[in-house]
Amino acid sequence: MSGRWRPLTRVGAQVWSLVAVLALVSVGFASLSDRFADLDNLRNVLLQAAPTMIGAVGMTLVIAARGIDLSIGAIANLALALALLGAGTRSEAALATDTTWLVYPIAIASGLALGTLNAVATNVLRLSALITTLGTLTLYRGLGLHITAAGLIAVRGPILAFGRAQLWGIGVPVFAAVLMAVAGWVFLSETPTGRRLLAVGGSPRSAVETGLRTERLLVVAYAASGLCGAIAGLILVGRVGVVNPDLGYGMEFTVITAVVLGGTSLFGGRASMFGTVLASLLLTTIDNGMTLIGADPYAYDVVRGVILLIAVSADAASAHMRSRRSPVIPELRA
Amino acid sequence: MTPDPPERALLGVASVGKSFAGIPVLQDVSFTADRGEILMLVGENGAGKSTLKNILSGLIAPDSGAVHFAGRTLAALSPADADRLGIGTIHQELSLFENLSVAENIHLPRLPQRFGRVDRKRMEAQSRAVLQDRLGAAIDPWTPVEELSLGERQMVEIAKAIHRSSSLLILDEPTTCLSLPERARLFDAVRRLRDHRYAIIYITHFMEEVYELADRITVLRDGRVVGGGTPRDMPQEALMRRMVGRDLAELTTVPAAVADDAPVMLEVDRLGDGVAVHEVSFCLHAGEILGLAGLMGAGRSEVAELLVGLRHGEGRVTLAGRAFVERSPRMALERGLVLVSEDRRRDQAFLNRAVRENLSAAMLPVVASGPLGLLALDRERQAAEQAAMTFHVDHPGLEAFMLALSGGNQQKAIVGRWLQRAPRVCILDEPTKGVDIGARAEMHRLIREQAAAGVAFLLISSDLPEMMALAHRVLVLHKGRIVGALSRAEAEAHRILALASTGRVS
Amino acid sequence: MRKAYLQIGLAAALLTAPTAFDAASAKDITIGVSFDKIEPFRVAEKKALTDAIEAAHAKMDFANADKDAQRQASQVDTMVSQGVSAIIAIPWDIEAANDLARSTIAAGIPFVSLDQALSDLKSVTYHIGGDPCADGKVAGEFFVKAAAGKPFKLLELQGGLANDNGIRRSRCLDDALKAAPNITIVAQVPTDWNPQKALDGTENALQAHPDLAGIYAPWNDALQGVFSVLKAKNLLLPVGDPKHITIVSIDGTPLGCKAVRDRLIDLEIATPLPEMSRRAVAAAIKASQGGKIEPQAEFLPGIPYGPDNVKAMASKIWGCQG
Amino acid sequence: MADLPTAPPRVMRRGVSLAALLKLPMLPVLLVAFLALSVSIDGFVSAANLANMARLFAPLAIAAIGLTFVFLLGEIDLSIGSVLSLASVLGALTMRGTASVWLGVMVMVATGALIGALNGAVIAWFRFSAFVYTLGVLVTARAIAMLITGGHSVGRLPFGALRFGRGTFAGLPWLLWIAIAVYAAAHLFLRQTVIGREIALVGANRRAAVFAGLRVRRARFTGFLVSGTLAGLAASCIVLRLGSGGPILGDNILLMAIAAVVLGGTSVFGGEGGAFRTVTGALVVVTLDKGLNLLGLAFYDQAIVMGLVIVLGSALGGYLYRRRTGRA
């Protein structure tokens, strides 16, 4: 028997069915709009996918450890609100808030702190992650809106730099997203802490018996998720130039969809960073393509829904094909 | 009894006590274990062995008493302490990460690293060293554990504990899934560790293991130390009396003979699934106990799963004279064929549901009435109470979670679940695995009683004394095929083992 | 219990009746205000309303339904049972609000709808709002004029797809454009009033149609997203520049006014917020004192203004002041 | 077999015992919140306000009880909100078209049941991932409702609708009676029927349920069927109370229902929980929602308090539960 290092197990098939769906969708859009298959458009898609992708990278770590972070969008909102509070001055003449470079350390520190708070609350209060982050989703959003008084704050200065900067004609957020995804992948597959995180997600009971410091590892995962939320928030705000109450609203849904669609198991222990990236791209491509072909606004959600249903059927069908020859009855297959 | 005062030996347990919800499980327990010796910790289930093991591996803290280790006194250990002190534990319920590789399982929580990355080369070399060189197990270090058989997983669990420990190794019933050669290799490894000045605490209830390995024996009963000494001080009879607190005479009983005119209850003709089972044919009569022997992975459990429809396959099954074609667990139950499968936690117990519901899970059609399928809760409760009494399930209340029961009582409750249905044919897959001597004897008595009442049993067991004590005939499986059928007179341990291991009569 | 709350309603009506003859002072009047949601424009709207109520020396009891018709119904019912003098509501569900208004009026309490019109205007005591359809039409006519018979590609951003104001601003624009076959709407992008989505939509539309000539951004918050895309493409040019993309927006917030003053957008249609609020409060107080409200519904069309006349118009546009 | 089982006396006694009440993790929080709000708000315990709260409570509790079935199975149904929306649109259109309130209600329940059955069938037989599949249904059903109405809500319903939705019977709002009936039915169903038991056992350990010959697929199917049907019934309650249905009517209900279910103490991992727990969870959600509003807090400050209560309340409930069961 000879084996090889298999960093992230049993996700291959799902990633392939995702590749197939993404290819199908792309070919469809390309045939309807000649501007779809275009280098400029690829740049757009990547740039628009960046916030989702970054959020999804953090969420992949959390879900791999058998957690969930519903508060990621609220963290994006609150971290940016805190950043403005700490490093913004309202300029009445320009109707905008001037910012200093301090917004970056403040937003990032806030993201890390809020994520850590999620983990600490889960650990100390012994709650399920779902309850904790459902609570902090509400709490963080309330705090964020409290700071901005639910108003729209136009921003200027260094806060815009990250979202708008370009390198070789490609938006810096794209590099950030790729970097985060690679870092996430290396972390999960190559570092001892990443492997321990997968172990905790795979079997919390074994983790205790093996002497893994589950609580510390969860802090790492949730802090990473908070960090990713804050970075996603910085990109969104940097690009659009406002901190608005809807910032990050519903982000948790998109991001969790991307992670699960990408083949990471909600029951922990199995993760696919590559799948997460692909699924983030798929979700963005749908919106992008719909606008390019000038679709009816009411059709957007129909297409989104149908593609989700196709993706899940493709996955179920491939699982069926794979296990067709096993004598074990379907109910007992994993 | 103790050669050293507790603080002088490597490990000294001094007057340790522990209660759960007010019920004492350990009282004033003291013993020592020193480098270079194998201490056998024997006792029935519920005697407190597992609690003691959990205290020593840092999973729970004792209420009173202290643990001395290498000259230091600790009120309690944490898993991290255990790790630092070099205490390795093999838990009875495997504590592996199925989603990770063998090598990672062996090394966690301290993975070797280079420049912040996992050092795979070193990890692979160290895994091979412990797996192949020490235990002689040909398991590739990069295989995910989920792809291993139960026996292989047990070897990984052992390798993991050996790798972690540098001073004390605790083994809790480590051989339940092992074939004979694997078991022999494990014993070799354990002896070699002793020679390397390890202290070994070996928890078991298998008598032959006690006398094969022990340097010293400590007996636990009802949470107290009730005896100890060298194997020479304690012959088997005396040891068992200490453990159980009463004499056991049933070991010599012979099962009642099967009547010549007993009807055929189960007839199996060329059963197979194309993967694990091939052309298995046999007959089972009313009142007969038919043993199905073989090594782990020989296809024994798969035969059982084929019979009740948990696997698809070909071949004909005739149940009480009628063909049994559309096989499913539900149809099997209706036709009077039940399976008590091996993996209790995974496949049988509803751990976070009430004991009552666990007992009645196979009785639902019986306690339901009317077109709506309403449950007669009173009847269900009575039946459950009755079953708990009949099958000696010791429980804190029928509404308590199944989780609250000890392993042995869980097993009795599950066997009770199935036998309540008064089946014609009962398949028992490792019915006494992880069960203490008292419960095991009760289980054997029960099987004999039921067989005498006409139930046909197909008994799958790795425990050869059990097989020889119970079975009228023994079939031996090798690589999914029946390679021998032995009558009671022919069924001797070495013959069964030879057939099971090689597929041929030696 | 229905009887109980009718009684309380009646009692409240009776209690407020004597003050009807004391029209000079509104000191004992509490106006229950129910908003459909809180977002930047509503924050401004709330402030305008608060100012108007203070100016009338009345008290305000405020509740936010947060995009939930049930919660709004419950909040209004509570205000009724607490005996407020009148209700001013921005309805979230323009159908459900009909029955809410009727039952409130049946309990003897006037119901004034603000900003968002109910589907059946007869069910309220008084409605005062903008005229989303008129605004959309003005925008459409402006684009027709701007296109001047030449081919013209237009991007239409949309607010909430299930929001009546949003739907009307869109539909009436489309109606006005029917007269000009030279104008093509290249995309209608749903945004849920979210500037981030407006940004992505604009970026994608520009990708598909680099020769885009006009953008319809029917609420001011969308402008930030639009500008940031145009800036990245070097298309954020002042009105009058040959490559300038024609932009029309609605709302009249300070940010909108600033965009006009910076000559970045061609036309802004300002909702007359302070006037709307004043009239709503006046009607609520008058009705609570038994007065008759004529006319029963008023629609204040938005005030269009552009870079060329912003100086002259500034005094009429709330967003251009202060 | 002929004798229908009467309610066993032992069970009834247990139903009201103090120990059984303490099993409900949210009860102390509910009591404290209710007392605090009654003291600090005039008229919080008035008949009008309680009736008002009851009308908010009913649809939430009904939808959350449906979700409880799915959670008991160890599954999730993300589609209930948009199923509710779609059902409300179809039901309201029917009411307006036929002038029959009852036909409308039947259409709503049937829509919910139909989508629930489809969800159940696909998940139980084709083994789709419940999370991704119901997410797809969430998006699609809402989109269909949008397409049908063009985004408008559907109002101007027959007069009888509102009379029922805002009316009372024997002093209690009709909607509350419906919620009570649903609770009672769900409680009995889970407690006293074979399928109910199978749902809990399948959730506790699916493999063991297969080995025990339980009808696993039927149980999973039924769970999603109930969830969809009750979403349809919740839609009826809202439509009858508001006099309108619409494509975004159910947008808020999913998160609120999840909050009610988990706050009530039903496990996300299956096998543990029940209808009564969910009722207490829904009571907490409604009491706070209404109470904080009456206190006059800004909506974001309400959110802050609500978030703190969810976290700290669940922690307190969990602590009391562990102390009672003696688990460390």
Side-chain angles (χ1 to χ4, degrees):
Chain A
M1 205 190 318
S2 97
R4 59 182 180 85
W5 171 249
R6 279 183 257 181
L8 303 167
T9 55
R10 216 167 63 184
V11 286
Q14 193 150 3
V15 167
W16 285 119
S17 62
L18 202 57
V19 169
V21 173
L22 184 58
L24 211 71
V25 167
S26 304
V27 168
F29 282 134
S31 69
L32 290 169
S33 164
D34 50 0
R35 300 276 299 175
F36 178 82
D38 181 315
L39 218 59
D40 281 337
N41 196 42
L42 184 66
R43 277 188 209 128
N44 285 351
V45 170
L46 289 175
L47 193 57
Q48 289 163 13
T52 305
M53 209 186 282
I54 290 176
V57 167
M59 188 68 79
T60 304
L61 300 186
V62 171
I63 293 182
R66 201 177 278 213
I68 192 130
D69 185 359
L70 297 180
S71 73
I72 186 165
I75 289 181
N77 194 315
L78 179 52
L80 268 293
L82 287 169
L84 285 194
L85 201 64
T89 35
R90 179 149 174 82
S91 140
E92 286 298 336
L95 290 176
T97 294
D98 281 313
T99 56
T100 64
W101 287 102
L102 272 177
V103 288
Y104 291 98
I106 296 178
I108 282 170
S110 308
L112 286 170
L114 296 171
T116 305
L117 187 62
N118 278 337
V120 170
T122 308
N123 289 336
V124 173
L125 303 176
R126 298 214 267 165
L127 293 171
S128 79
L130 188 76
I131 294 190
T132 312
T133 58
L134 186 70
T136 53
L137 157 72
T138 317
L139 175 66
Y140 293 168
R141 179 157 292 277
L143 287 169
L145 297 190
H146 182 98
I147 293 172
T148 59
L152 179 94
I153 302 174
V155 289
R156 299 196 308 184
I159 197 171
L160 304 178
F162 180 44
R164 296 189 176 175
Q166 291 200 336
L167 204 59
W168 306 305
I170 296 168
V172 164
V174 176
F175 292 102
V178 172
L179 205 70
M180 297 290 285
V182 171
W185 186 82
V186 169
F187 173 74
L188 266 190
S189 59
E190 302 288 326
T191 69
T193 312
R195 305 310 289 171
R196 290 187 198 117
L197 210 59
L198 278 171
V200 167
S203 170
R205 183 180 61 89
S206 297
V208 172
E209 289 175 358
T210 308
L212 285 175
R213 298 181 181 182
T214 306
E215 305 196 337
R216 285 193 202 179
L217 288 166
L218 286 180
V219 169
V220 172
Y222 283 93
S225 169
L227 171 72
C228 289
I231 294 178
L234 280 169
I235 294 176
L236 289 169
V237 169
R239 293 200 65 206
V240 77
V242 289
V243 172
N244 56 314
D246 274 346
L247 172 66
Y249 184 81
M251 182 171 151
E252 62 279 359
F253 252 105
T254 320
V255 159
I256 294 173
T257 306
V259 173
V260 175
L261 203 57
T264 296
S265 163
L266 273 178
F267 295 99
R270 293 173 207 291
S272 167
M273 212 41 101
F274 187 52
T276 293
V277 169
L278 279 178
S280 309
L281 283 177
L282 175 65
L283 295 177
T284 312
T285 304
I286 295 170
D287 284 6
N288 169 272
M290 295 294 278
T291 306
L292 257 59
I293 64 173
D296 182 273
Y298 290 93
Y300 278 63
D301 267 345
V302 180
V303 173
R304 278 190 199 123
V306 168
I307 288 177
L308 273 175
L309 293 178
I310 290 175
V312 67
S313 330
D315 185 44
S318 83
H320 176 75
M321 299 296 276
R322 263 176 291 139
S323 61
R324 204 172 37 175
R325 302 185 64 186
S326 157
V328 180
I329 60 168
E331 286 87 343
L332 291 185
R333 289 181 205 142
Chain B
M1 205 159 84
T2 8
D4 290 313
E7 54 275 13
R8 293 257 308 276
L10 175 70
L11 171 76
V13 172
S15 306
V16 161
K18 177 77 189 172
S19 309
F20 288 118
I23 301 156
V25 285
L26 287 180
Q27 295 178 67
D28 196 25
V29 169
S30 304
F31 65 87
T32 61
D34 212 342
R35 291 183 177 280
E37 70 166 351
I38 299 173
L39 173 71
M40 287 302 212
L41 206 56
V42 268
E44 294 194 20
N45 256 30
K49 294 173 302 186
S50 294
T51 309
L52 202 51
K53 170 206 72 182
N54 286 338
I55 287 174
L56 291 179
S57 53
L59 293 180
I60 56 178
D63 296 339
S64 58
V67 177
H68 305 282
F69 195 91
R72 293 167 54 196
T73 302
L74 301 151
L77 288 97
S78 70
D81 287 335
D83 193 47
R84 205 182 54 244
L85 298 171
I87 302 175
T89 309
I90 300 168
H91 297 279
Q92 202 180 337
E93 311 271 12
L94 301 181
S95 62
L96 296 179
F97 303 102
E98 295 186 12
N99 55 327
L100 298 181
S101 66
V102 169
E104 285 167 314
N105 269 282
I106 290 174
H107 284 84
L108 276 169
R110 269 174 294 128
L111 300 170
Q113 52 178 305
R114 250 166 77 90
F115 311 121
R117 288 177 58 178
V118 175
D119 186 348
R120 300 208 285 258
K121 249 185 207 151
R122 189 137 60 97
M123 205 153 83
E124 180 170 345
Q126 287 174 353
S127 305
R128 284 195 200 282
V130 61
L131 274 172
Q132 286 168 9
D133 305 348
R134 278 219 172 136
L135 293 168
I139 301 172
D140 185 273
W142 298 128
T143 315
V145 168
E146 65 197 345
E147 291 174 12
L148 299 181
S149 71
L150 230 66
E152 288 172 323
R153 290 183 196 199
Q154 182 107 49
M155 292 309 272
V156 174
E157 178 86 18
I158 294 165
K160 173 181 168 182
I162 292 178
H163 175 78
R164 284 159 63 95
S165 69
S166 56
S167 55
L168 171 66
L169 182 64
I170 306 168
L171 304 94
D172 186 7
E173 312 246 354
T175 57
T176 43
C177 297
L178 300 186
S179 69
L180 274 189
E182 286 169 332
R183 187 180 305 214
R185 283 199 298 270
L186 170 67
F187 287 180
D188 271 354
V190 167
R191 288 194 197 98
R192 249 182 292 155
L193 286 172
R194 172 188 57 195
D195 298 343
H196 280 96
R197 305 281 301 151
Y198 276 67
I200 312 258
I201 295 178
Y202 193 112
I203 301 171
T204 188
H205 62 257
F206 287 114
M207 286 304 135
E208 66 276 16
E209 292 183 1
V210 173
Y211 291 98
E212 206 173 326
L213 282 175
D215 293 318
R216 276 194 308 124
I217 302 171
T218 293
V219 186
L220 275 179
R221 191 175 75 223
D222 300 332
R224 295 171 183 280
V225 174
V226 293
T230 61
R232 216 172 311 151
D233 304 337
M234 288 198 98
Q236 189 160 341
E237 279 297 305
L239 175 57
M240 289 177 79
R241 259 200 308 280
R242 282 269 161 75
M243 272 172 72
V244 187
R246 60 194 141 86
D247 284 314
L248 292 164
E250 107 292 342
L251 272 177
T252 51
T253 37
V254 178
V258 184
D260 289 340
D261 58 348
V264 173
M265 276 298 161
L266 179 69
E267 195 179 343
V268 177
D269 187 22
R270 277 172 299 182
L271 191 69
D273 66 357
V275 178
V277 179
H278 310 279
E279 302 199 323
V280 165
S281 306
F282 61 85
C283 267
L284 178 59
H285 297 82
E288 185 182 22
I289 304 171
L290 177 62
L292 193 57
L295 296 182
M296 194 68 64
R300 298 171 306 173
S301 301
E302 287 80 359
V303 167
E305 288 172 9
L306 273 164
L307 285 172
V308 297
L310 288 164
R311 281 179 163 255
H312 302 299
E314 67 265 13
R316 274 189 25 224
V317 179
T318 313
L319 193 57
R322 270 172 54 212
F324 183 29
V325 183
E326 291 290 316
R327 293 194 290 273
S328 72
R330 186 170 192 83
M331 275 311 292
L333 194 60
E334 261 170 42
R335 296 280 303 269
L337 168 66
V338 301
L339 163 64
V340 184
S341 58
E342 175 188 3
D343 195 330
R344 192 168 61 222
R345 272 186 98 93
R346 194 182 63 166
D347 296 336
Q348 294 288 334
F350 302 101
L351 290 173
N352 60 347
R353 299 298 299 183
V355 174
R356 163 177 57 84
E357 294 180 0
N358 271 278
L359 281 165
S360 68
M363 294 289 280
L364 293 183
V366 179
V367 289
S369 60
L372 292 173
L374 289 179
L375 294 169
L377 291 181
D378 254 5
R379 215 188 306 157
E380 183 197 4
R381 172 171 295 277
Q382 280 160 15
E385 253 161 27
Q386 181 66 45
M389 227 147 70
T390 314
F391 301 101
H392 303 276
V393 182
D394 198 3
H395 59 84
L398 283 177
E399 297 307 318
F401 280 173
M402 189 70 163
L403 203 58
L405 267 56
S406 71
N409 280 310
Q410 283 178 11
Q411 182 72 359
K412 284 188 273 188
I414 283 159
V415 172
R417 170 198 297 172
W418 294 106
L419 288 182
Q420 268 182 99
R421 284 298 298 265
R424 291 183 169 117
V425 178
C426 176
I427 308 170
L428 294 170
D429 194 350
E430 305 284 5
T432 57
K433 181 175 147 187
V435 156
D436 59 81
I437 277 198
R440 183 176 130 111
E442 269 175 34
M443 193 70 75
H444 288 180
R445 182 181 50 76
L446 195 77
I447 294 169
R448 286 201 191 89
E449 260 175 32
Q450 297 274 328
V455 180
F457 281 96
L458 183 63
L459 174 71
I460 299 169
S461 180
S462 305
D463 184 347
L464 289 178
E466 171 172 281
M467 188 72 95
M468 290 180 297
L470 288 174
H472 293 103
R473 283 187 297 145
V474 176
L475 301 175
V476 184
L477 271 180
H478 176 72
K479 293 187 176 166
R481 293 173 197 278
I482 292 183
V483 292
L486 306 174
S487 71
R488 185 172 173 78
E490 299 163 327
E492 290 163 18
H494 70 272
R495 282 180 95 149
I496 296 176
L497 268 176
L499 270 169
S501 299
T502 62
R504 286 185 304 273
V505 189
S506 56
Chain C
M1 221 162 278
R2 166 132 173 99
K3 212 189 275 170
Y5 103 55
L6 265 180
Q7 274 168 355
I8 292 174
L10 271 175
L14 286 174
L15 280 173
T16 51
T19 58
F21 304 100
D22 186 17
S25 160
K27 280 208 172 73
D28 302 324
I29 287 183
T30 301
I31 296 176
V33 176
S34 169
F35 268 34
D36 54 347
K37 58 182 173 180
I38 295 287
E39 34 100 52
F41 187 75
R42 290 283 185 266
V43 173
E45 212 160 3
K46 186 185 170 196
K47 181 161 182 312
L49 204 57
T50 312
D51 291 348
I53 289 176
E54 265 174 22
H57 302 292
K59 284 199 283 286
M60 178 162 89
D61 187 354
F62 182 83
N64 165 31
D66 206 13
K67 305 180 189 175
D68 189 334
Q70 274 199 89
R71 199 179 280 141
Q72 186 159 43
S74 170
Q75 285 166 350
V76 170
D77 282 351
T78 301
M79 288 172 180
V80 169
S81 70
Q82 284 174 337
V84 296
S85 322
I87 301 278
I88 297 177
I90 304 179
W92 170 247
D93 182 328
I94 61 166
E95 293 288 347
N98 289 325
D99 296 311
L100 190 60
R102 281 193 209 108
S103 69
T104 305
I105 292 168
I109 294 176
F111 188 102
V112 173
S113 59
L114 175 70
D115 192 334
Q116 176 99 271
L118 279 67
S119 66
D120 181 3
L121 286 170
K122 286 193 214 62
S123 49
V124 293
T125 313
Y126 173 68
H127 170 78
I128 174 73
D131 188 341
C133 193
D135 297 351
K137 235 172 98 187
V138 168
E141 282 157 3
F142 186 85
F143 281 121
V144 172
K145 212 167 68 197
K150 290 195 280 288
F152 190 94
K153 284 190 174 176
L154 177 66
L155 162 68
E156 182 189 338
L157 298 173
Q158 293 192 335
L161 289 179
N163 175 279
D164 194 56
N165 273 346
I167 295 170
R168 284 181 196 231
R169 284 179 189 176
S170 164
R171 212 181 40 213
C172 293
L173 172 93
D174 298 355
D175 286 348
L177 295 181
K178 280 199 187 106
N182 56 318
I183 297 181
T184 357
I185 297 178
V186 294
Q188 295 176 299
V189 181
T191 66
D192 266 330
W193 307 112
N194 189 333
Q196 271 94 18
K197 290 187 186 167
L199 180 147
D200 288 350
T202 309
E203 196 167 60
N204 291 335
L206 261 176
Q207 162 66 20
H209 307 280
D211 51 346
L212 198 69
I215 299 175
Y216 179 50
W219 79 110
N220 280 174
D221 296 353
L223 290 174
Q224 302 302 319
V226 172
F227 290 164
S228 102
V229 176
L230 295 182
K231 197 170 175 196
K233 304 252 175 198
N234 293 321
L235 287 170
L236 188 60
L237 303 164
V239 174
D241 189 289
K243 286 175 75 185
H244 169 79
I245 292 181
T246 308
I247 301 173
V248 176
S249 187
I250 302 180
D251 268 356
T253 65
L255 278 172
C257 183
K258 184 171 178 299
V260 174
R261 282 180 169 147
D262 293 347
R263 301 186 66 84
L264 293 176
I265 66 175
D266 301 75
L267 184 72
E268 157 88 327
I269 301 162
T271 309
L273 263 194
E275 182 58 25
M276 259 164 53
S277 305
R278 268 195 300 276
R279 291 199 201 182
V281 172
I285 293 176
K286 189 173 171 201
S288 75
Q289 292 165 338
K292 191 154 170 51
I293 311 293
E294 279 298 338
Q296 194 241 354
E298 289 182 279
F299 295 94
L300 304 178
I303 307 162
Y305 67 104
D308 297 332
N309 64 352
V310 60
K311 279 214 177 80
M313 300 289 288
S315 61
K316 293 182 196 155
I317 314 294
W318 65 276
C320 293
Q321 294 151 11
Chain D
M1 283 303 201
D3 56 327
L4 271 173
T6 49
R10 212 185 328 235
V11 173
M12 295 309 286
R13 255 204 323 279
R14 272 170 31 81
V16 293
S17 75
L18 192 65
L21 284 182
L22 276 176
K23 246 189 205 164
L24 302 163
M26 262 299 126
L27 208 67
V29 180
L30 181 61
L31 292 177
V32 169
F34 200 86
L35 282 177
L37 290 170
S38 354
V39 170
S40 47
I41 300 168
D42 282 344
F44 185 74
V45 285
S46 69
N49 190 50
L50 291 181
N52 198 335
M53 277 169 59
R55 293 192 183 97
L56 279 179
F57 165 78
L60 175 64
I62 292 170
I65 287 173
L67 199 59
T68 307
F69 277 68
V70 176
F71 272 44
L72 266 178
L73 279 168
E75 303 279 0
I76 189 144
D77 184 353
L78 298 176
S79 71
I80 55 168
S82 49
V83 168
L84 192 152
S85 298
L86 180 58
S88 80
V89 163
L90 296 176
L93 285 173
T94 309
M95 279 188 202
R96 205 158 71 180
T98 64
S100 161
V101 173
W102 297 115
L103 205 59
V105 168
M106 274 159 62
V107 165
M108 286 188 257
V109 175
T111 305
L114 206 69
I115 300 179
L118 194 68
N119 290 351
V122 166
I123 290 163
W125 275 277
F126 297 138
R127 303 172 2 94
F128 280 27
S129 139
F131 188 93
V132 186
Y133 173 74
T134 58
L135 188 70
V137 176
L138 158 82
V139 177
T140 316
R142 190 171 178 276
I144 293 172
M146 280 278 203
L147 277 179
I148 292 175
T149 61
H152 294 287
S153 47
V154 182
R156 280 169 270 196
L157 305 182
F159 182 62
L162 274 174
R163 199 173 46 199
F164 184 84
R166 307 191 69 161
T168 60
F169 172 74
L172 294 180
W174 267 113
L175 298 188
L176 188 60
W177 284 113
I178 298 180
I180 291 171
V182 166
Y183 157 67
H187 182 80
L188 284 179
F189 185 85
L190 287 174
R191 182 175 191 85
Q192 297 247 239
T193 69
V194 173
I195 303 185
R197 176 69 58 80
E198 281 173 334
I199 285 174
L201 293 183
V202 167
N205 185 345
R206 171 127 53 104
R207 282 185 69 96
V210 173
F211 272 76
L214 303 181
R215 281 171 281 202
V216 175
R217 280 178 299 218
R218 188 182 72 166
R220 298 180 80 203
F221 172 79
T222 310
F224 282 95
L225 173 66
V226 169
S227 167
T229 310
L230 290 185
L233 189 61
S236 316
C237 288
I238 299 180
V239 169
L240 291 176
R241 189 239 187 290
L242 291 179
S244 134
I248 51 171
L249 194 66
D251 276 10
N252 292 333
I253 206 114
L254 174 66
L255 274 188
M256 282 174 62
I258 292 180
V261 176
V262 294
L263 274 177
T266 291
S267 161
V268 199
F269 298 107
E272 241 182 297
F276 193 59
R277 294 184 187 201
T278 297
V279 167
T280 61
L283 276 174
V284 171
V285 172
V286 170
T287 304
L288 284 177
D289 193 50
K290 197 71 207 164
L292 296 177
N293 190 265
L294 284 171
L295 280 176
L297 294 184
F299 83 104
Y300 36 75
D301 295 332
Q302 293 179 32
I304 294 173
V305 177
M306 189 79 159
L308 286 173
V309 168
I310 291 178
V311 173
L312 299 177
S314 312
L316 176 69
Y319 171 74
L320 292 175
Y321 178 68
R322 281 192 299 271
R323 222 177 58 161
R324 191 188 63 83
T325 52
R327 285 195 216 166

